[in-house]
Amino acid sequence: MFGTFVSLMFLNTLTPKFYVALTGTSSLISGLILIFEWWYFRKYGTSFIEQVSVSHLRPLLGGVESSSTTGLFASVNGEAEPRPSVSECKVWRNPLNLFRGAEYNRYTWVTGKEPLTYYDMNLSAQDHQTFFTGDTPQLRPEDAVMQKAWRERNPQARIRAAYQAIEMNHECAAAYVLLAEEEATTITEAERLFKKALSIAGKDINLLVYIKRRLAMCARKLGRIKEAVKMMRDLMKEFPLLGMLNIHENLLEALLELQAYADVQAVLAKYDDISLPKSATICYTSALLKARAVSDKFSPEAASRRGLSTAEMNAVEAIHRAVEFNPHVPKVILIEMKSLILPPEHILKRGDSEAIAYAFFHLQHWKRAEGALNLLHCTWEGTFRIIPYPLEKGHLFYPYPGCTETADRELLPCVCVPEEELPFFILFTAGLCSFTAMLAMLTHQFPELMGVFAKALVLFLFVMGKIEGR
């Protein structure tokens, strides 16, 4: 009785002014929380409330995950991917980057937009300066001109510098490389200039590898795929220690175009190794080979009734493994963003840039395998039932790095970066802020009425609590 009396006395002390102050304060606090949540999400790519919940509250509630790496993925590789010693957000040269004059510039002519960011082109300039300094201890005059040419922001200034270097020395191979990359408006013309550069390259290993690789890519683009495959194989045999250039990724794409799946499997057997760095090309090509073996007869309804066969399970596991490595690829492939953006000259492994580059060249191979896209569509999201907190803990690979969005926005035109879904807590905070703001406005306009409503609501909850207690 005494508790009931105190509660009723408390209700009588609540005045309309109190309700106005209470709802106004609640609206202000929730608004500040929403602003902070939004700022934190834009800066770090995750919700602050969710991060605190995952990092601090979940362990207290007994939600700590086992440190074991065995599970669904164990049958794919047998062991987990070791954590890398290099930076999580290291930028890599795109093995299949396009030609600026013959391909990237065509996009600019058609759309009036720049396909490459300044950051991406600056990285390429640094690459070229490193590749083409020459083996001589002293920089020759034409080499000094080319060093400056790679740093020029204006394409015409770079081309003029290349011609200046050729005037100084008609056998300046680096100058012909620049003209093949930037002035040639067709692949055929680029191939002619690369052949000229190859004939005068001498024994400069960096120049030889770069030129031979680009010549192989020219042959691939001109439809001479078997010739391109031979050139790539010869290059890998001639320079076996240059695996970091990822020439095998060019070879995989060309072999897929030939539908030489046994040869693709042989390349994967060598490079899809636990001790070697992974890429979207390696992981998704492995998934594609397993998927094409079952995808033509795969039916989600039939699989749910009878369960997955061994071959189907292998395919699903391979897809989950690939999605864990780069979760952006399925969205890019399934919504076909290829028409929206060209791949950059550099990529961030596990990021949007790598996903866009992979999809640009490999979407056709997934389409060619009957039912493969359907299998990918039906199964890829299952990955996140196995790793619900990919930023905190991985399964076969190290946890997904949280810095990829910032790096990708430097590599990709901002209009083309796929929009991320907003975390639940930001949506929840936005809804709470809107609700309290509406209550504050109604209380300000109708203080007496809202006071009566609030008292009735509190009294109702109090009575319901008493009834439940009995």
Side-chain angles (χ1 to χ4, degrees), residues 148-337:
K148 183 180 178 182
W150 296 118
R151 293 195 300 267
E152 290 285 354
R153 293 189 64 175
N154 186 289
Q156 293 305 315
R158 291 195 292 271
I159 292 171
R160 285 195 299 269
Y163 279 114
Q164 181 185 348
I166 292 173
E167 288 178 3
M168 301 172 85
N169 182 357
H170 291 292
E171 295 190 351
C172 180
Y176 285 102
V177 168
L178 189 148
L179 294 178
E181 291 285 356
E182 305 218 19
E183 188 184 41
T185 56
T186 64
I187 300 298
T188 302
E189 187 180 353
E191 183 181 43
R192 179 183 64 79
L193 289 167
F194 275 122
K195 287 181 177 178
K196 173 67 175 177
L198 181 63
S199 67
I200 57 178
K203 297 182 179 179
D204 189 324
I205 293 179
N206 290 337
L207 265 174
L208 287 173
V209 172
Y210 186 92
I211 293 169
K212 287 183 177 182
R213 181 183 199 162
R214 294 306 257 176
L215 280 171
M217 294 175 70
C218 287
R220 163 68 182 91
K221 292 174 186 292
L222 292 173
R224 306 196 309 270
I225 305 173
K226 291 184 178 179
E227 178 186 342
V229 167
K230 183 180 184 304
M231 294 171 71
M232 292 171 192
R233 290 190 186 278
D234 291 343
L235 188 57
M236 292 166 67
K237 289 179 182 177
E238 188 177 358
F239 304 101
L241 299 180
L242 296 179
M244 77 288 291
L245 297 178
N246 297 320
I247 300 172
H248 58 275
E249 296 197 10
N250 299 82
L251 178 60
L252 282 172
E253 196 281 324
L255 290 172
L256 284 171
E257 181 63 22
L258 288 175
Q259 301 184 48
Y261 297 112
D263 291 336
V264 172
Q265 186 60 61
V267 175
L268 287 176
K270 181 177 180 180
Y271 289 96
D272 192 6
D273 185 84
I274 189 67
S275 62
L276 297 177
K278 297 295 180 290
S279 66
T281 298
I282 292 290
C283 294
Y284 279 91
T285 300
S286 178
L288 174 60
L289 290 192
K290 290 181 172 64
R292 66 177 293 273
V294 297
S295 60
D296 57 334
K297 298 178 182 177
F298 178 78
S299 167
E301 295 79 13
S304 63
R305 287 195 305 270
R306 58 171 169 76
L308 295 174
S309 66
T310 302
E312 288 172 338
M313 180 61 74
N314 289 338
V316 171
E317 289 177 352
I319 289 173
H320 286 173
R321 171 180 178 254
V323 173
E324 182 185 356
F325 182 83
N326 192 320
H328 305 284
V329 170
K331 285 187 177 180
V332 177
I333 285 182
L334 295 173
I335 64 175
E336 297 191 25
M337 286 188 62

Side-chain angles (χ1 to χ4, degrees), residues 389-408:
Y389 303 101
L391 291 174
E392 180 190 359
K393 183 175 177 58
H395 200 82
L396 274 180
F397 302 99
Y398 54 93
Y400 187 80
C403 59
T404 56
E405 182 184 1
T406 302
D408 272 329

Side-chain angles (χ1 to χ4, degrees), residues 87-149:
S87 170
E88 285 182 331
C89 288
K90 178 182 176 181
V91 173
W92 299 74
R93 182 83 175 175
N94 182 1
L96 288 90
N97 66 300
L98 304 177
F99 295 87
R100 286 191 185 175
E103 294 175 304
Y104 284 120
N105 282 352
R106 189 177 301 171
Y107 176 87
T108 305
W109 298 334
V110 173
T111 66
K113 298 176 182 178
E114 291 294 335
L116 300 172
T117 64
Y118 173 69
Y119 175 70
D120 191 15
M121 291 190 290
N122 188 50
L123 290 176
S124 296
Q126 295 175 24
D127 291 342
H128 293 143
Q129 286 179 276
T130 303
F131 291 159
F132 308 137
T133 50
D135 292 333
T136 55
Q138 273 193 330
L139 215 60
R140 297 171 298 184
E142 63 270 22
D143 292 332
V145 171
M146 289 307 301
Q147 286 282 296
K148 183 180 178 182

